[in-house]
Amino acid sequence: MNFTEQLNEVGIVLNDTQRSQFDKYFEILVEWNGFMNLTGITEYEEVLVKHFLDSLAVGKYSEKFAGNPELSIIDVGTGAGFPGLPLKIAYPQAKVVLLDSLNKRVKFLDEVITQLGLTGITAVHARAEEGARNAAYREQFDISVSRAVANLSTLVEYCLPFVKAGGYFIAYKSGDIDAEAEGAKRAVSLLGGRIESVEKMTLPGTDIERSFVFVKKEKPTPKKYPRKAGLPSKEPLG
């Protein structure tokens, strides 16, 4: 099963421009990875599956978001741009913000955005706790996504404040997520959300398991959240 077929399985069809953008993204990723640590995955086929396909697999559930022509997405703790940049390439009409705490990664993201000729996307240098207190970003997005490795109770405090009421935080998780999701219910509720569903899948043509936790934002997040830097990870709500 090739990359095009794998994407078709999750409901995504790319045109020639988008395919060439993914190839260019790969080239810049490998080039910059030579002098800064962006990813341990650098083989072309592996990047296609473990970064690009993995970022886009949420398209299988796109009825929750893809029909919105004004769709706005923030990727919190984006790192080398996953999943936010692949989502922007696949859904070019979306307005996307890539948030990361490391300035040199933001410079890499700016380079990718420029070379791919993308518009309606910006890379922002900020910690999640700071960004979520900025009125320009707080409760301004239809969707917040994160592939960051952190407990769901921690992630939801970082990510849900960015989401407007009626929108979603989508957590990309792997492994057995049921107990973690159950344990995060109180944190989700405190922050104004509800776990609507946990969608489990195997990436097409692979044995890689992926879970998506869809947290629906039902009411505004109380102003005291997120707490000051470091606390959401040291002392998760629960």
Side-chain angles (χ1 to χ4, degrees), residues 45 53 57 60 132 141 235:
E45 297 295 335
L53 174 63
K60 186 173 181 179
F141 296 89
E235 300 172 20

Side-chain angles (χ1 to χ4, degrees), residues 58-180:
V58 73
K60 186 173 181 179
Y61 313 102
S62 67
E63 76 282 352
K64 294 183 187 288
F65 61 85
N68 180 357
E70 298 293 313
L71 186 70
S72 56
I73 301 171
I74 185 166
D75 179 3
V76 180
T78 187
F82 309 118
L85 252 168
L87 288 170
K88 173 62 182 179
I89 295 171
Y91 300 101
Q93 84 287 357
K95 296 175 180 66
V96 176
V97 171
L98 306 172
L99 190 80
D100 199 83
S101 61
L102 200 62
N103 197 43
K104 60 183 180 179
R105 283 199 290 256
V106 171
K107 287 180 177 170
F108 161 76
L109 297 168
D110 283 337
E111 181 72 13
V112 176
I113 290 166
T114 299
Q115 289 204 36
L116 269 54
L118 298 173
T119 57
I121 179 170
T122 54
V124 175
H125 175 222
R127 291 180 65 106
E129 301 96 326
E130 299 159 8
R133 293 192 171 280
N134 184 331
Y137 304 120
R138 188 178 183 91
E139 301 191 327
Q140 296 300 307
F141 296 89
D142 299 304
I143 296 174
S144 171
V145 291
S146 186
R147 215 173 64 145
V149 179
N151 183 277
L152 187 59
S153 296
T154 299
L155 273 181
V156 80
E157 185 171 356
Y158 285 141
C159 298
L160 202 59
F162 291 102
V163 181
K164 58 179 79 165
Y168 288 92
F169 164 47
I170 307 172
Y172 286 57
K173 305 292 288 185
S174 55
D176 187 0
I177 184 64
D178 292 343
E180 189 178 328

Side-chain angles (χ1 to χ4, degrees), residues 11 42 94 109 120 133 142 174 177 183 187-188 203 211 215 223-224:
T42 55
L109 297 168
R133 293 192 171 280
D142 299 304
S174 55
I177 184 64
V188 170
L203 296 185
S211 296
V215 178
K223 286 188 169 57
K224 64 181 176 179

